Amino acid sequence: MAEIKANGDELINCGESMIALCDDYLTQINNLFDSLSKLNKTGWSGRAADGYVSKLVMDRKRFTEFGDYLKMYGKVIKNTGDNVNRIIAKWDDK
């Protein structure tokens, strides 16, 4: 039989930290792309600037999807910790 060693509380803490970091990451990414989207109106003008700004939508999407996937992974880790603790509590009640 396999032996499993897991610390549910540590998994929960790790998941919560990962979720919080992803929230910070997404805030910073949105601030960055909000700033860059105004570039062609403030510091750079012309067709090249307009072309650059028009491509930012896809770049923002990729970066935010990355943050969203990492955040989902953090939720999975947190849920795993919750499940470990729930299973251990059931065994302790027997």
Side-chain angles (χ1 to χ4, degrees), residues 27-57:
T27 298
Q28 293 299 321
I29 287 298
N30 284 319
N31 290 341
L32 172 68
F33 279 95
D34 287 345
S35 175
L36 289 174
S37 68
K38 298 172 190 169
L39 186 64
N40 64 338
K41 306 218 183 319
T42 57
W44 184 21
S45 61
R47 288 181 17 202
D50 293 338
Y52 176 77
V53 169
S54 71
K55 293 179 184 178
L56 289 175
V57 173

PDB file of all heavy atoms in Angstrom, residues 27-57:
ATOM      1  N   THR A  27      -3.272  42.742 -11.359  1.00  0.00           N
ATOM      2  CA  THR A  27      -3.420  44.185 -11.175  1.00  0.00           C
ATOM      3  C   THR A  27      -2.288  44.927 -11.870  1.00  0.00           C
ATOM      4  O   THR A  27      -2.518  45.919 -12.587  1.00  0.00           O
ATOM      5  CB  THR A  27      -3.442  44.539  -9.675  1.00  0.00           C
ATOM      6  OG1 THR A  27      -4.573  43.902  -9.071  1.00  0.00           O
ATOM      7  CG2 THR A  27      -3.525  46.035  -9.453  1.00  0.00           C
ATOM      8  N   GLN A  28      -1.059  44.457 -11.676  1.00  0.00           N
ATOM      9  CA  GLN A  28       0.094  45.105 -12.292  1.00  0.00           C
ATOM     10  C   GLN A  28       0.064  44.992 -13.815  1.00  0.00           C
ATOM     11  O   GLN A  28       0.402  45.949 -14.529  1.00  0.00           O
ATOM     12  CB  GLN A  28       1.403  44.523 -11.740  1.00  0.00           C
ATOM     13  CG  GLN A  28       1.633  44.831 -10.284  1.00  0.00           C
ATOM     14  CD  GLN A  28       1.729  46.322 -10.028  1.00  0.00           C
ATOM     15  OE1 GLN A  28       2.308  47.072 -10.808  1.00  0.00           O
ATOM     16  NE2 GLN A  28       1.137  46.772  -8.939  1.00  0.00           N
ATOM     17  N   ILE A  29      -0.322  43.838 -14.324  1.00  0.00           N
ATOM     18  CA  ILE A  29      -0.415  43.654 -15.783  1.00  0.00           C
ATOM     19  C   ILE A  29      -1.451  44.606 -16.365  1.00  0.00           C
ATOM     20  O   ILE A  29      -1.217  45.248 -17.395  1.00  0.00           O
ATOM     21  CB  ILE A  29      -0.746  42.181 -16.131  1.00  0.00           C
ATOM     22  CG1 ILE A  29       0.477  41.298 -15.902  1.00  0.00           C
ATOM     23  CG2 ILE A  29      -1.264  42.027 -17.557  1.00  0.00           C
ATOM     24  CD1 ILE A  29       1.678  41.628 -16.770  1.00  0.00           C
ATOM     25  N   ASN A  30      -2.598  44.711 -15.710  1.00  0.00           N
ATOM     26  CA  ASN A  30      -3.627  45.631 -16.203  1.00  0.00           C
ATOM     27  C   ASN A  30      -3.163  47.076 -16.141  1.00  0.00           C
ATOM     28  O   ASN A  30      -3.416  47.854 -17.074  1.00  0.00           O
ATOM     29  CB  ASN A  30      -4.939  45.431 -15.441  1.00  0.00           C
ATOM     30  CG  ASN A  30      -5.660  44.184 -15.902  1.00  0.00           C
ATOM     31  OD1 ASN A  30      -5.704  43.885 -17.093  1.00  0.00           O
ATOM     32  ND2 ASN A  30      -6.213  43.448 -14.977  1.00  0.00           N
ATOM     33  N   ASN A  31      -2.475  47.463 -15.078  1.00  0.00           N
ATOM     34  CA  ASN A  31      -1.929  48.825 -14.984  1.00  0.00           C
ATOM     35  C   ASN A  31      -0.923  49.084 -16.105  1.00  0.00           C
ATOM     36  O   ASN A  31      -0.922  50.155 -16.719  1.00  0.00           O
ATOM     37  CB  ASN A  31      -1.270  49.062 -13.627  1.00  0.00           C
ATOM     38  CG  ASN A  31      -2.267  49.142 -12.496  1.00  0.00           C
ATOM     39  OD1 ASN A  31      -3.452  49.368 -12.712  1.00  0.00           O
ATOM     40  ND2 ASN A  31      -1.790  48.947 -11.283  1.00  0.00           N
ATOM     41  N   LEU A  32      -0.050  48.100 -16.357  1.00  0.00           N
ATOM     42  CA  LEU A  32       0.946  48.241 -17.416  1.00  0.00           C
ATOM     43  C   LEU A  32       0.285  48.426 -18.773  1.00  0.00           C
ATOM     44  O   LEU A  32       0.619  49.358 -19.518  1.00  0.00           O
ATOM     45  CB  LEU A  32       1.864  47.015 -17.447  1.00  0.00           C
ATOM     46  CG  LEU A  32       2.827  46.936 -18.624  1.00  0.00           C
ATOM     47  CD1 LEU A  32       3.878  48.034 -18.532  1.00  0.00           C
ATOM     48  CD2 LEU A  32       3.475  45.563 -18.689  1.00  0.00           C
ATOM     49  N   PHE A  33      -0.670  47.571 -19.096  1.00  0.00           N
ATOM     50  CA  PHE A  33      -1.292  47.658 -20.414  1.00  0.00           C
ATOM     51  C   PHE A  33      -2.201  48.875 -20.537  1.00  0.00           C
ATOM     52  O   PHE A  33      -2.349  49.424 -21.636  1.00  0.00           O
ATOM     53  CB  PHE A  33      -2.015  46.356 -20.762  1.00  0.00           C
ATOM     54  CG  PHE A  33      -1.073  45.299 -21.267  1.00  0.00           C
ATOM     55  CD1 PHE A  33      -0.552  44.344 -20.410  1.00  0.00           C
ATOM     56  CD2 PHE A  33      -0.675  45.284 -22.588  1.00  0.00           C
ATOM     57  CE1 PHE A  33       0.334  43.384 -20.860  1.00  0.00           C
ATOM     58  CE2 PHE A  33       0.215  44.327 -23.053  1.00  0.00           C
ATOM     59  CZ  PHE A  33       0.721  43.379 -22.192  1.00  0.00           C
ATOM     60  N   ASP A  34      -2.797  49.328 -19.437  1.00  0.00           N
ATOM     61  CA  ASP A  34      -3.559  50.580 -19.481  1.00  0.00           C
ATOM     62  C   ASP A  34      -2.635  51.743 -19.836  1.00  0.00           C
ATOM     63  O   ASP A  34      -2.980  52.608 -20.640  1.00  0.00           O
ATOM     64  CB  ASP A  34      -4.244  50.852 -18.135  1.00  0.00           C
ATOM     65  CG  ASP A  34      -5.428  49.932 -17.881  1.00  0.00           C
ATOM     66  OD1 ASP A  34      -5.906  49.282 -18.834  1.00  0.00           O
ATOM     67  OD2 ASP A  34      -5.874  49.863 -16.714  1.00  0.00           O
ATOM     68  N   SER A  35      -1.461  51.727 -19.234  1.00  0.00           N
ATOM     69  CA  SER A  35      -0.482  52.781 -19.510  1.00  0.00           C
ATOM     70  C   SER A  35       0.020  52.703 -20.957  1.00  0.00           C
ATOM     71  O   SER A  35       0.103  53.721 -21.655  1.00  0.00           O
ATOM     72  CB  SER A  35       0.690  52.656 -18.540  1.00  0.00           C
ATOM     73  OG  SER A  35       1.695  53.576 -18.832  1.00  0.00           O
ATOM     74  N   LEU A  36       0.353  51.502 -21.405  1.00  0.00           N
ATOM     75  CA  LEU A  36       0.848  51.341 -22.776  1.00  0.00           C
ATOM     76  C   LEU A  36      -0.200  51.692 -23.819  1.00  0.00           C
ATOM     77  O   LEU A  36       0.135  52.174 -24.906  1.00  0.00           O
ATOM     78  CB  LEU A  36       1.336  49.909 -22.994  1.00  0.00           C
ATOM     79  CG  LEU A  36       2.625  49.509 -22.282  1.00  0.00           C
ATOM     80  CD1 LEU A  36       2.905  48.020 -22.480  1.00  0.00           C
ATOM     81  CD2 LEU A  36       3.793  50.342 -22.780  1.00  0.00           C
ATOM     82  N   SER A  37      -1.469  51.471 -23.497  1.00  0.00           N
ATOM     83  CA  SER A  37      -2.520  51.753 -24.481  1.00  0.00           C
ATOM     84  C   SER A  37      -2.678  53.252 -24.740  1.00  0.00           C
ATOM     85  O   SER A  37      -3.275  53.648 -25.739  1.00  0.00           O
ATOM     86  CB  SER A  37      -3.848  51.159 -24.026  1.00  0.00           C
ATOM     87  OG  SER A  37      -4.338  51.837 -22.893  1.00  0.00           O
ATOM     88  N   LYS A  38      -2.127  54.093 -23.870  1.00  0.00           N
ATOM     89  CA  LYS A  38      -2.185  55.542 -24.055  1.00  0.00           C
ATOM     90  C   LYS A  38      -0.917  56.087 -24.713  1.00  0.00           C
ATOM     91  O   LYS A  38      -0.800  57.288 -24.937  1.00  0.00           O
ATOM     92  CB  LYS A  38      -2.381  56.219 -22.695  1.00  0.00           C
ATOM     93  CG  LYS A  38      -3.666  55.835 -22.019  1.00  0.00           C
ATOM     94  CD  LYS A  38      -3.719  56.375 -20.609  1.00  0.00           C
ATOM     95  CE  LYS A  38      -4.896  55.779 -19.864  1.00  0.00           C
ATOM     96  NZ  LYS A  38      -4.834  56.065 -18.443  1.00  0.00           N
ATOM     97  N   LEU A  39       0.010  55.202 -25.023  1.00  0.00           N
ATOM     98  CA  LEU A  39       1.306  55.600 -25.547  1.00  0.00           C
ATOM     99  C   LEU A  39       1.194  56.410 -26.835  1.00  0.00           C
ATOM    100  O   LEU A  39       1.892  57.408 -27.012  1.00  0.00           O
ATOM    101  CB  LEU A  39       2.172  54.358 -25.772  1.00  0.00           C
ATOM    102  CG  LEU A  39       3.608  54.555 -26.185  1.00  0.00           C
ATOM    103  CD1 LEU A  39       4.366  55.276 -25.069  1.00  0.00           C
ATOM    104  CD2 LEU A  39       4.260  53.224 -26.475  1.00  0.00           C
ATOM    105  N   ASN A  40       0.304  56.008 -27.717  1.00  0.00           N
ATOM    106  CA  ASN A  40       0.186  56.702 -29.000  1.00  0.00           C
ATOM    107  C   ASN A  40      -0.532  58.050 -28.882  1.00  0.00           C
ATOM    108  O   ASN A  40      -0.631  58.787 -29.846  1.00  0.00           O
ATOM    109  CB  ASN A  40      -0.500  55.821 -30.044  1.00  0.00           C
ATOM    110  CG  ASN A  40      -1.925  55.487 -29.691  1.00  0.00           C
ATOM    111  OD1 ASN A  40      -2.326  55.540 -28.525  1.00  0.00           O
ATOM    112  ND2 ASN A  40      -2.697  55.103 -30.688  1.00  0.00           N
ATOM    113  N   LYS A  41      -1.004  58.373 -27.705  1.00  0.00           N
ATOM    114  CA  LYS A  41      -1.653  59.670 -27.487  1.00  0.00           C
ATOM    115  C   LYS A  41      -0.758  60.617 -26.684  1.00  0.00           C
ATOM    116  O   LYS A  41      -1.053  61.799 -26.578  1.00  0.00           O
ATOM    117  CB  LYS A  41      -2.964  59.465 -26.744  1.00  0.00           C
ATOM    118  CG  LYS A  41      -3.881  58.475 -27.416  1.00  0.00           C
ATOM    119  CD  LYS A  41      -5.305  58.883 -27.332  1.00  0.00           C
ATOM    120  CE  LYS A  41      -6.271  57.906 -27.919  1.00  0.00           C
ATOM    121  NZ  LYS A  41      -5.959  57.250 -29.124  1.00  0.00           N
ATOM    122  N   THR A  42       0.306  60.072 -26.108  1.00  0.00           N
ATOM    123  CA  THR A  42       1.149  60.905 -25.244  1.00  0.00           C
ATOM    124  C   THR A  42       2.587  60.998 -25.738  1.00  0.00           C
ATOM    125  O   THR A  42       3.055  62.077 -26.066  1.00  0.00           O
ATOM    126  CB  THR A  42       1.149  60.362 -23.800  1.00  0.00           C
ATOM    127  OG1 THR A  42       1.585  59.001 -23.797  1.00  0.00           O
ATOM    128  CG2 THR A  42      -0.231  60.440 -23.173  1.00  0.00           C
ATOM    129  N   GLY A  43       3.298  59.894 -25.788  1.00  0.00           N
ATOM    130  CA  GLY A  43       4.729  59.952 -26.049  1.00  0.00           C
ATOM    131  C   GLY A  43       5.177  59.534 -27.437  1.00  0.00           C
ATOM    132  O   GLY A  43       6.328  59.730 -27.799  1.00  0.00           O
ATOM    133  N   TRP A  44       4.295  58.971 -28.215  1.00  0.00           N
ATOM    134  CA  TRP A  44       4.693  58.443 -29.517  1.00  0.00           C
ATOM    135  C   TRP A  44       3.498  58.586 -30.429  1.00  0.00           C
ATOM    136  O   TRP A  44       2.367  58.268 -30.049  1.00  0.00           O
ATOM    137  CB  TRP A  44       5.086  56.988 -29.332  1.00  0.00           C
ATOM    138  CG  TRP A  44       5.615  56.252 -30.514  1.00  0.00           C
ATOM    139  CD1 TRP A  44       6.157  56.769 -31.646  1.00  0.00           C
ATOM    140  CD2 TRP A  44       5.652  54.828 -30.669  1.00  0.00           C
ATOM    141  NE1 TRP A  44       6.548  55.766 -32.496  1.00  0.00           N
ATOM    142  CE2 TRP A  44       6.249  54.556 -31.915  1.00  0.00           C
ATOM    143  CE3 TRP A  44       5.258  53.758 -29.896  1.00  0.00           C
ATOM    144  CZ2 TRP A  44       6.445  53.275 -32.392  1.00  0.00           C
ATOM    145  CZ3 TRP A  44       5.455  52.469 -30.360  1.00  0.00           C
ATOM    146  CH2 TRP A  44       6.054  52.238 -31.594  1.00  0.00           C
ATOM    147  N   SER A  45       3.694  59.035 -31.633  1.00  0.00           N
ATOM    148  CA  SER A  45       2.570  59.199 -32.548  1.00  0.00           C
ATOM    149  C   SER A  45       2.942  58.673 -33.925  1.00  0.00           C
ATOM    150  O   SER A  45       4.103  58.439 -34.226  1.00  0.00           O
ATOM    151  CB  SER A  45       2.151  60.672 -32.629  1.00  0.00           C
ATOM    152  OG  SER A  45       3.222  61.457 -33.126  1.00  0.00           O
ATOM    153  N   GLY A  46       1.944  58.462 -34.697  1.00  0.00           N
ATOM    154  CA  GLY A  46       2.151  57.977 -36.065  1.00  0.00           C
ATOM    155  C   GLY A  46       1.561  56.598 -36.261  1.00  0.00           C
ATOM    156  O   GLY A  46       1.002  55.983 -35.356  1.00  0.00           O
ATOM    157  N   ARG A  47       1.722  56.111 -37.489  1.00  0.00           N
ATOM    158  CA  ARG A  47       1.160  54.800 -37.830  1.00  0.00           C
ATOM    159  C   ARG A  47       1.813  53.676 -37.058  1.00  0.00           C
ATOM    160  O   ARG A  47       1.150  52.723 -36.656  1.00  0.00           O
ATOM    161  CB  ARG A  47       1.280  54.564 -39.332  1.00  0.00           C
ATOM    162  CG  ARG A  47       0.318  55.428 -40.106  1.00  0.00           C
ATOM    163  CD  ARG A  47       0.341  55.259 -41.597  1.00  0.00           C
ATOM    164  NE  ARG A  47       0.967  54.053 -42.096  1.00  0.00           N
ATOM    165  CZ  ARG A  47       1.456  53.917 -43.312  1.00  0.00           C
ATOM    166  NH1 ARG A  47       1.376  54.921 -44.156  1.00  0.00           N
ATOM    167  NH2 ARG A  47       2.003  52.786 -43.711  1.00  0.00           N
ATOM    168  N   ALA A  48       3.122  53.778 -36.848  1.00  0.00           N
ATOM    169  CA  ALA A  48       3.811  52.721 -36.098  1.00  0.00           C
ATOM    170  C   ALA A  48       3.295  52.651 -34.660  1.00  0.00           C
ATOM    171  O   ALA A  48       3.086  51.559 -34.117  1.00  0.00           O
ATOM    172  CB  ALA A  48       5.319  52.967 -36.094  1.00  0.00           C
ATOM    173  N   ALA A  49       3.082  53.812 -34.057  1.00  0.00           N
ATOM    174  CA  ALA A  49       2.560  53.851 -32.682  1.00  0.00           C
ATOM    175  C   ALA A  49       1.151  53.274 -32.635  1.00  0.00           C
ATOM    176  O   ALA A  49       0.824  52.490 -31.741  1.00  0.00           O
ATOM    177  CB  ALA A  49       2.568  55.274 -32.162  1.00  0.00           C
ATOM    178  N   ASP A  50       0.324  53.650 -33.593  1.00  0.00           N
ATOM    179  CA  ASP A  50      -1.046  53.121 -33.633  1.00  0.00           C
ATOM    180  C   ASP A  50      -1.039  51.605 -33.851  1.00  0.00           C
ATOM    181  O   ASP A  50      -1.830  50.876 -33.249  1.00  0.00           O
ATOM    182  CB  ASP A  50      -1.851  53.803 -34.743  1.00  0.00           C
ATOM    183  CG  ASP A  50      -2.099  55.278 -34.450  1.00  0.00           C
ATOM    184  OD1 ASP A  50      -2.036  55.683 -33.276  1.00  0.00           O
ATOM    185  OD2 ASP A  50      -2.351  56.029 -35.429  1.00  0.00           O
ATOM    186  N   GLY A  51      -0.147  51.128 -34.706  1.00  0.00           N
ATOM    187  CA  GLY A  51      -0.025  49.685 -34.940  1.00  0.00           C
ATOM    188  C   GLY A  51       0.415  48.942 -33.692  1.00  0.00           C
ATOM    189  O   GLY A  51      -0.107  47.866 -33.377  1.00  0.00           O
ATOM    190  N   TYR A  52       1.371  49.521 -32.970  1.00  0.00           N
ATOM    191  CA  TYR A  52       1.846  48.903 -31.735  1.00  0.00           C
ATOM    192  C   TYR A  52       0.719  48.808 -30.712  1.00  0.00           C
ATOM    193  O   TYR A  52       0.489  47.760 -30.111  1.00  0.00           O
ATOM    194  CB  TYR A  52       3.016  49.695 -31.164  1.00  0.00           C
ATOM    195  CG  TYR A  52       3.501  49.187 -29.835  1.00  0.00           C
ATOM    196  CD1 TYR A  52       4.295  48.048 -29.761  1.00  0.00           C
ATOM    197  CD2 TYR A  52       3.148  49.827 -28.650  1.00  0.00           C
ATOM    198  CE1 TYR A  52       4.728  47.559 -28.539  1.00  0.00           C
ATOM    199  CE2 TYR A  52       3.573  49.349 -27.428  1.00  0.00           C
ATOM    200  CZ  TYR A  52       4.367  48.214 -27.373  1.00  0.00           C
ATOM    201  OH  TYR A  52       4.781  47.735 -26.162  1.00  0.00           O
ATOM    202  N   VAL A  53       0.000  49.896 -30.527  1.00  0.00           N
ATOM    203  CA  VAL A  53      -1.079  49.930 -29.538  1.00  0.00           C
ATOM    204  C   VAL A  53      -2.198  48.961 -29.924  1.00  0.00           C
ATOM    205  O   VAL A  53      -2.790  48.313 -29.060  1.00  0.00           O
ATOM    206  CB  VAL A  53      -1.603  51.376 -29.360  1.00  0.00           C
ATOM    207  CG1 VAL A  53      -2.887  51.413 -28.555  1.00  0.00           C
ATOM    208  CG2 VAL A  53      -0.536  52.242 -28.691  1.00  0.00           C
ATOM    209  N   SER A  54      -2.454  48.813 -31.208  1.00  0.00           N
ATOM    210  CA  SER A  54      -3.522  47.897 -31.633  1.00  0.00           C
ATOM    211  C   SER A  54      -3.178  46.441 -31.324  1.00  0.00           C
ATOM    212  O   SER A  54      -4.075  45.629 -31.123  1.00  0.00           O
ATOM    213  CB  SER A  54      -3.819  48.070 -33.118  1.00  0.00           C
ATOM    214  OG  SER A  54      -2.766  47.568 -33.909  1.00  0.00           O
ATOM    215  N   LYS A  55      -1.905  46.118 -31.274  1.00  0.00           N
ATOM    216  CA  LYS A  55      -1.487  44.742 -30.966  1.00  0.00           C
ATOM    217  C   LYS A  55      -1.474  44.456 -29.470  1.00  0.00           C
ATOM    218  O   LYS A  55      -1.356  43.308 -29.050  1.00  0.00           O
ATOM    219  CB  LYS A  55      -0.112  44.474 -31.560  1.00  0.00           C
ATOM    220  CG  LYS A  55      -0.126  44.475 -33.071  1.00  0.00           C
ATOM    221  CD  LYS A  55       1.236  44.242 -33.637  1.00  0.00           C
ATOM    222  CE  LYS A  55       1.172  44.343 -35.162  1.00  0.00           C
ATOM    223  NZ  LYS A  55       2.469  44.176 -35.771  1.00  0.00           N
ATOM    224  N   LEU A  56      -1.603  45.479 -28.659  1.00  0.00           N
ATOM    225  CA  LEU A  56      -1.562  45.295 -27.206  1.00  0.00           C
ATOM    226  C   LEU A  56      -2.727  44.469 -26.674  1.00  0.00           C
ATOM    227  O   LEU A  56      -2.603  43.805 -25.654  1.00  0.00           O
ATOM    228  CB  LEU A  56      -1.527  46.643 -26.490  1.00  0.00           C
ATOM    229  CG  LEU A  56      -0.235  47.438 -26.613  1.00  0.00           C
ATOM    230  CD1 LEU A  56      -0.405  48.807 -25.961  1.00  0.00           C
ATOM    231  CD2 LEU A  56       0.924  46.694 -25.969  1.00  0.00           C
ATOM    232  N   VAL A  57      -3.855  44.498 -27.368  1.00  0.00           N
ATOM    233  CA  VAL A  57      -5.030  43.760 -26.910  1.00  0.00           C
ATOM    234  C   VAL A  57      -4.721  42.269 -26.811  1.00  0.00           C
ATOM    235  O   VAL A  57      -5.046  41.620 -25.811  1.00  0.00           O
ATOM    236  CB  VAL A  57      -6.240  44.021 -27.848  1.00  0.00           C
ATOM    237  CG1 VAL A  57      -7.413  43.141 -27.486  1.00  0.00           C
ATOM    238  CG2 VAL A  57      -6.629  45.487 -27.802  1.00  0.00           C
TER     239      VAL A  57
END
